[in-house]
Amino acid sequence: MVEAAPITTSKVQLQPLPDFDFADPFIFSSEVIAAILAFVVAFNFYRFYRLSGFVYLLGLVIGFSFITFAEVLLAVDVWLEFNPEIFNMLFWMRLLSLSYGFSFLAASYYYKRREDDRTPWMMRIGALSVIPIMIMIALVVILPPAFDFPPYNQVDEYFRVFNLVILGYVFKSTLSSIVEQGKKEFMYIPAAYAILWLGQYSALISGLELNVGAVIAQHTAKVVGLALFVGVLSQVMRARKVAKTETEG
Amino acid sequence: MVGQDLQRRERRHKLQIYHDILSAIREEAMTEDGAKPTRIQHLANMSYDKLSRYLDELEAKQMINKANILSLTEHGHEFLREYLKIKELIERMGLE
């Protein structure tokens, strides 16, 4: 167990911060790396979306863009040495961005077999992503008496549990698709989602009971999970040059 | 249930269908008569209604130009060049 330094403001009690020497540089560098990786993933999915025109790929583009934004916000928080007022302002944006990002990923998988260009698909994916977030906000903000914001830790836990459910659904979708295809060599993506799930689980644990292991696991899992996406995209980009020649006739 | 299965099967092959139609247009464009819809229908092996729907989609995605004679846009050529990569990405991402 590590000593924690609780921070309070007039509105919310902020998450106690890890009080070990390496925490800031470690968290900061992992957030910067995660932001870069998520941006690379989003950019490449955008490229494939533009090439194919399949709208369900747009859910991945938007999802990873929100994840990039969430990582940048946390990196800014750490860079500003957890300035309580800025932290207070940014933490809602960060929690929402991350959950919103995961929701868009889930929407892509939900609609992957329902693409129909004659229907307003963008409206459906937007609605599917917004509805769970609205429910979350309602649970966190409206249900408590007199719009009294619950403590940071409690809100953080709600969102982490929400993220775990969403990522669990995405993991199940990818796994069943890969199993259906019978291609074991394609297991990297389900593994990447599983690692992101572990990262969120570690974040939940570190919120409930601050300890160095959970903090390290949370940030490491995020970087490793996103790195797997970059690795798979890199493999795809380099793939089948011989076959490409064949399609060019 | 049957409808869902059909929709699923159709979705599974959409990328392939795009590829078949675009390849047929590219091939026919090199002939003297150019790429006519009836000829593309024969080469892509699909009903005329279905072909019409996909041609509308491909035009909306700016992959073809539709007139009496069909032709590929630069985007259509790019799709064919990158087709295998798109296919592999969709399979690897579990979006098949």
Side-chain angles (χ1 to χ4, degrees):
Chain A
M1 184 68 79
V2 179
E3 285 291 322
I7 295 173
T8 54
T9 70
S10 55
K11 283 191 176 175
V12 294
Q13 181 185 349
L14 304 179
Q15 186 180 35
L17 303 176
D19 190 21
F20 34 84
D21 291 339
F22 71 92
D24 281 7
F26 171 73
I27 294 172
F28 180 73
S29 53
S30 71
E31 294 305 325
V32 170
I33 294 168
I36 292 168
L37 292 172
F39 176 77
V40 169
V41 174
F43 179 79
N44 278 286
F45 279 129
Y46 173 72
R47 188 174 168 275
F48 280 104
Y49 159 69
R50 197 184 59 77
L51 277 172
S52 68
F54 290 141
V55 188
Y56 57 86
L57 288 177
L58 196 56
L60 299 179
V61 179
I62 299 171
F64 280 102
S65 299
F66 271 106
I67 292 169
T68 305
F69 185 57
E71 300 305 332
V72 168
L73 287 177
L74 186 55
V76 168
D77 258 351
V78 181
W79 188 38
L80 297 173
E81 296 180 338
F82 291 99
N83 178 313
E85 286 185 13
I86 294 172
F87 189 95
N88 190 29
M89 182 181 75
L90 293 184
F91 102 95
W92 270 103
M93 287 170 68
R94 186 162 58 78
L95 286 180
L96 281 171
S97 296
L98 195 60
S99 294
Y100 207 54
F102 289 143
S103 295
F104 266 104
L105 300 187
S108 269
Y109 284 93
Y110 181 77
Y111 281 125
K112 68 179 180 179
R113 286 173 174 161
R114 295 171 175 81
E115 173 156 330
D116 184 345
D117 289 345
R118 290 166 298 181
T119 58
W121 201 91
M122 277 299 289
M123 284 175 65
R124 288 192 294 166
I125 195 172
L128 194 77
S129 309
V130 168
I131 289 167
I133 293 293
M134 290 299 115
I135 293 169
M136 282 298 297
I137 291 172
L139 284 173
V140 170
V141 178
I142 296 171
L143 286 187
F147 293 87
D148 188 16
F149 283 68
Y152 170 88
N153 283 355
Q154 198 179 332
V155 177
D156 191 56
E157 286 157 21
Y158 289 156
F159 275 87
R160 299 298 181 189
V161 170
F162 174 78
N163 293 346
L164 287 174
V165 172
I166 292 288
L167 281 172
Y169 168 76
V170 174
F171 170 73
K172 179 186 160 292
S173 295
T174 51
L175 188 65
S176 57
S177 175
I178 301 297
V179 168
E180 205 175 286
Q181 292 177 54
K183 293 180 178 173
K184 288 179 186 169
E185 66 273 22
F186 287 180
M187 290 301 281
Y188 289 109
I189 291 299
Y193 282 121
I195 291 168
L196 289 182
W197 188 95
L198 278 174
Q200 290 303 302
Y201 181 72
S202 303
L204 178 65
I205 297 298
S206 70
L208 291 170
E209 183 187 328
L210 192 69
N211 70 66
V212 66
V215 172
I216 291 172
Q218 171 191 348
H219 293 279
T220 306
K222 190 162 47 187
V223 170
V224 171
L226 289 168
L228 271 178
F229 280 101
V230 173
V232 167
L233 282 163
S234 165
Q235 273 188 322
V236 170
M237 303 294 273
R238 284 184 280 120
R240 301 190 189 184
K241 287 185 179 170
V242 175
K244 179 182 165 184
T245 311
E246 182 189 316
T247 60
E248 286 172 345
Chain B
M1 195 66 176
V2 174
Q4 275 183 344
D5 285 346
L6 280 172
Q7 192 181 27
R8 183 169 162 168
R9 203 154 52 226
E10 185 182 22
R11 254 273 307 122
R12 188 187 298 274
H13 296 296
K14 200 168 202 176
L15 191 69
Q16 181 71 48
I17 290 169
Y18 280 11
H19 175 261
D20 292 347
I21 293 172
L22 293 174
S23 297
I25 292 173
R26 184 178 60 185
E27 196 178 309
E28 283 299 296
M30 289 187 284
T31 64
E32 200 174 302
D33 292 339
K36 291 182 176 173
T38 46
R39 183 71 186 141
I40 302 304
Q41 177 196 350
H42 174 71
L43 286 173
N45 193 25
M46 62 177 62
S47 71
Y48 192 80
D49 284 350
K50 198 171 176 184
L51 176 69
S52 294
R53 186 157 65 84
Y54 279 111
L55 289 178
D56 287 343
E57 279 184 28
L58 290 168
E59 188 184 32
K61 293 177 193 296
Q62 298 180 330
M63 292 186 190
I64 61 168
N65 289 317
K66 261 176 74 180
N68 289 336
I69 303 294
L70 301 166
S71 62
L72 294 189
T73 62
E74 182 48 42
H75 189 185
H77 283 291
E78 196 181 7
F79 177 92
L80 286 179
R81 282 197 298 271
E82 303 289 341
Y83 163 72
L84 286 170
K85 289 181 183 175
I86 301 168
K87 183 172 183 287
E88 179 138 350
L89 176 88
I90 286 172
E91 286 175 356
R92 281 180 180 264
M93 286 302 298
L95 287 163
E96 173 70 15

